[in-house]
C-alpha cells in the first residue's frame, strides 16, 4: 500500500478537525455518546477526503487532450495472432 502524500495528510487532517468542530458547535451535544459519534463521523469524512484526493487529479489528467501515456511518435502495439485449434482438431474445414 502506498504511503499518503503530504497533501492527503493535510487535507484529511484539516477535514477531521474542522468537521468535528463544526458538528460539535452546531449540535451542542454534551453527552459522551454524541461526542463519540461526531468523532467517528469526522474521521470517516477525513478518510474519504484524503482517499478521494488522488482520484480527482487522475480524472483531471485523463480528461486533458493528449494526456495518454503513449507519445505521438510511438507505434501502435502489434496485433495478437489468432488462436490455433487444439491438438487433434481438424483444421482443414471438412468433415470426415
Amino acid at each position: 500500500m502506498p504511503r499518503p502524500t503530504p497533501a492527503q495528510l493535510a487535507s484529511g487532517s484539516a477535514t477531521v478537525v474542522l468537521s468535528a468542530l463544526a458538528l460539535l458547535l452546531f449540535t451542542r451535544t454534551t453527552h459522551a455518546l454524541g461526542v463519540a459519534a461526531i468523532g467517528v463521523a469526522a474521521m470517516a469524512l477525513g478518510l474519504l477526503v484524503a482517499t478521494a484526493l488522488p482520484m480527482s487529479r487522475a480524472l483531471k489528467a485523463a480528461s486533458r487532450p493528449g494526456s495518454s501515456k503513449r507519445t505521438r511518435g510511438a507505434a501502435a502495439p502489434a496485433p495478437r495472432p489468432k488462436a490455433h485449434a487444439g491438438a487433434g482438431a481438424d483444421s482443414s474445414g471438412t468433415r470426415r
Side-chain angles (χ1 to χ4, degrees), residues 10-84:
S11 63
S13 299
T15 301
V16 170
V17 171
L18 294 176
S19 63
L21 183 63
L23 285 171
L24 286 171
L25 289 175
F26 287 139
T27 60
R28 296 184 182 180
T29 186
T30 56
H31 298 291
L33 188 60
V35 172
I38 288 174
V40 169
M43 294 279 266
L45 186 61
L47 182 63
L48 180 69
V49 167
T51 56
L53 185 63
M55 288 183 202
S56 64
R57 286 185 182 173
L59 289 175
K60 286 179 186 175
S63 66
R64 290 187 205 141
S67 65
S68 67
K69 292 185 179 182
R70 196 170 34 171
T71 58
R72 287 186 176 179
R80 298 181 70 159
K82 296 192 185 250
H84 293 269

